[in-house]
Amino acid sequence: MKKTYLYLRNKPVLEIENYVCRILDFDLLPVSVRYEGIEFDDVMHGWTESRSLSIGRTNAKKILTGFGISQSNPYLTAKLFHFTSLTDCYWMKEEGDQAVWEDVSLFSNPLEKSVSSTALLGVPGYFKDRLQNGMASVKPQIHTPELTAQGMSAKAWIREEDGIYLYKVGKKELAACCILDALGICHVSYEEVPEQKLKALADEKYQNKIKDAGEKVVKSKILTSEKRSIVSWEAFQMYCAYREEDEFSYVKSKYPQAYYSMQIADYILGNEDRHGANWGFFMDNDTGKLGELYPLMDHDHGFSEEEEILSQTSEERESLKDAALRAAGIADWGIDYEAVLTMTKPEELSRKQWEGVQERAGFIRGMKDF
């Protein structure tokens, strides 16, 4: 069995040989496997699986068909592109592979627009001939994050003149953006993608499918870079479990405003989907140290009309409402509820959805006043 190396940019941090892991730089290991007793399965059947395209993602089957890749082997799919991602700067290669970070980096190399068109709008494409013998070459002919991107919505990474953007189908992001702006809560900014930008990806037929579904294509600028990664909450939970430390005590003591504001934001937005993969921390790629919570994002499952939604970000078994009440009772956090109660309804929301937002914002404000 060839040795396999896990890298952070051009720095080898882990060596795997004969199913045995040898740590080369503990402080720079991925957070989810950063512990002294790291085992083969933790990496090859844990960390690598978190970097594979979900077959349930919109347009996933079209992407895999275009590459001529099996739908039943997510490991091989991600391996084709050295497990690269735009979430961080980790990647893997086998002994003898002469590739360096500059060859495989998704941050610096051109991204394949034809794959992006398939991922975002479902445009059929054939990409298999861009791979050498079914495997990425030392210097890959094609670079795409779409085979390692997470999530279920139709989306794609697009490089524009001023940087990389995530395009996604999801008009609710625009409404959430307006509301979070009004509340004064830190979040990722979204804007609608101009029609001329979409024309560069697909013809009118595919654009009209989005319009006919009553949706919009929105975009947000990338949070990560070759200097800074993001680490999901679920990865941090694994890190804490190895050390028998309490992850909630950490986040509440280090970043209370960001954490408690998130509880309030999710209640007001009626967000059903703040799972452990769509919130977390920044990480410095030079030191491996965790930083602050990154801005709130991913609200295309917001504005639920369910009366009782359980919190996914609380250590308690409680509803979003209870978590928000507790958060609001701890401190003020500088949240401007009145701004939401007096603002105009975002056009992306129905009247009923907007009334729900205002009712929830008014309830929290009223309880604080009381």
Side-chain angles (χ1 to χ4, degrees), residues 208-227:
N208 286 340
K209 286 184 179 181
I210 305 299
K211 293 178 183 177
D212 293 345
E215 275 291 358
K216 295 179 179 180
V217 179
V218 300
K219 68 175 184 177
S220 59
K221 197 164 189 180
I222 192 169
L223 291 174
T224 55
S225 68
E226 298 207 5
K227 298 288 289 182

Side-chain angles (χ1 to χ4, degrees), residues 109-156:
N109 285 292
L111 305 180
E112 183 64 34
K113 281 189 177 181
S114 58
V115 183
S116 300
S117 298
T118 300
L120 180 67
L121 298 171
V123 180
Y126 187 75
F127 325 115
K128 186 176 181 179
D129 57 358
R130 304 293 300 280
L131 299 177
Q132 294 185 351
N133 300 319
M135 296 293 288
S137 60
V138 171
K139 293 187 177 181
Q141 295 173 294
I142 188 170
H143 294 85
T144 177
E146 307 309 336
L147 289 169
T148 55
Q150 300 295 295
M152 306 300 284
S153 301
K155 55 189 171 184

Side-chain angles (χ1 to χ4, degrees), residues 281-301:
F281 303 89
F282 284 119
M283 187 191 88
D284 186 306
N285 290 338
D286 290 327
T287 65
K289 292 182 178 179
L290 293 182
E292 63 189 357
L293 290 175
Y294 57 76
L296 297 182
M297 61 179 182
D298 203 357
H299 300 103
D300 48 2
H301 289 279

